[in-house]
Amino acid sequence: MTGLGAVFRPQLAPERLRSVARLADDTGLEELWLWEDCFREGGISAAAAALAWTERVKVGIGLLPVPLRNVALTAMEAATLHRMFPGRPVLALGHGVQDWMGQVGARAESPMTLLREHLDALRALLRGERVSVRGRYVRLDDVALDWPPAAPAPVIAGVTGPRSLRLSGEAADGTLLTASTPPDGVRAARRLVDEGRAAAGRTDPHQVVVYLLAATGPDAASRLRADLAAEGDAAVPDLGVAGDAGAVAEAVRRLADAGADTVVLQPTADEPDPEGFVRFVAEEVRPLVP
């Protein structure tokens, strides 16, 4: 079955999260995803609150920029969430927007090297291993978590470029793709991820999650066009969807057919009814998606 979720966009004030998260839980939505966009809302703090307010919905963070974090802190926070809310947190890590990283003095000379080192160390720490490493960016001396997750805690990489997608296949447990990824882009990403997996000799499952920009309601088409234009994607064919539940479900199915395991519906930045959007996804779109 194709997984389905929705995004709580950080254009909304943090105090709006509680009602959206509770509605997602009450309506049976499978996943609610949060963003850590500079300089809006913290991913870990928002996820912890959403998990505490709910009982069953998975809460994803897409994504945590690794230049902002020491890997030991990432591991401590991830493990804490997994211990308190087993099976429900989903953490994605990535390079971060380089301009934003530059604004805070954290821009890495080699984002690829940093991401690889961070992923390798983080996954080892979450497995309960004792880690010593002296990399270009990640340096740990005999570090182990006192409270590692009691069950496996997959780590997803949010990446876009070919080299980063291969890296995700090698060093992550899943891949998160942006809403700028049409079905053909999902197919291409799958191929690159699989190349990385083959190079690393990996045969374990690898989940592909993709955002889908979606709008519904009387002004859906104009809001979708405005969002695509703002992201520079107005000329990209087969990107985003505006319409009723049937139209949105068909767009979800196209991404699933292209290789997406989970599709997360991303409302437009000016979505007038975030709670209504979550209800629409859970109650109208979900029954139409196999």
Side-chain angles (χ1 to χ4, degrees), residues 10 27 38 59 61 76 104 115 129 153 172 181 185 188 195 208 215 236 253 270 277 280:
T27 56
C38 294
V59 176
I61 308 174
M76 291 161 57
V104 298
L115 183 58
E129 298 176 14
T181 314
E195 287 177 12
V208 171
V236 179
R253 287 194 292 269
D270 60 350
F277 185 83
F280 168 74

Side-chain angles (χ1 to χ4, degrees), residues 164-246:
S164 295
L165 286 163
R166 291 189 187 96
L167 171 61
S168 182
E170 292 179 36
D173 303 302
T175 300
L176 173 66
L177 304 174
T178 73
S180 297
T181 314
D184 284 347
V186 174
R187 292 187 184 91
R190 266 287 188 190
R191 287 193 295 271
L192 291 163
V193 165
D194 287 343
E195 287 177 12
R197 285 167 51 76
R202 297 188 63 174
T203 58
D204 51 325
H206 188 100
Q207 183 186 30
V208 171
V209 181
V210 60
Y211 291 134
L212 171 63
L213 184 63
T216 191
D219 59 347
S222 61
R223 288 192 290 111
L224 182 75
R225 286 194 299 270
D227 248 42
L228 289 172
E231 294 298 321
D233 290 331
V236 179
D238 205 17
L239 199 61
V241 58
D244 61 11

Side-chain angles (χ1 to χ4, degrees), residues 18 20-32 47-59 81 84-89:
R18 184 174 185 172
V20 173
R22 285 188 165 179
L23 182 64
D25 211 43
D26 292 343
T27 56
L29 186 69
E30 294 140 56
E31 299 186 10
L32 180 67
L51 287 161
W53 288 325
T54 56
E55 297 293 334
R56 43 151 305 279
V57 67
K58 290 186 176 182
V59 176
L81 291 180
M84 292 193 297
F85 310 102
R88 294 176 57 208

Side-chain angles (χ1 to χ4, degrees), residues 33-53:
W33 281 74
L34 315 173
W35 293 355
E36 188 171 75
D37 275 4
C38 294
F39 299 94
R40 292 185 171 118
E41 295 157 12
I44 295 291
S45 54
L51 287 161
W53 288 325

Side-chain angles (χ1 to χ4, degrees), residues 120-180:
D120 288 346
L122 176 62
R123 292 177 68 237
L125 290 167
L126 293 178
R127 290 193 297 265
E129 298 176 14
R130 186 168 294 277
V131 181
S132 292
V133 61
R134 290 190 64 82
R136 181 174 178 180
Y137 297 103
V138 173
R139 298 189 176 189
L140 300 174
D141 181 11
D142 197 34
V143 175
L145 296 175
D146 281 11
W147 297 102
V155 175
I156 294 177
V159 290
T160 56
R163 293 176 60 217
S164 295
L165 286 163
R166 291 189 187 96
L167 171 61
S168 182
E170 292 179 36
D173 303 302
T175 300
L176 173 66
L177 304 174
T178 73
S180 297

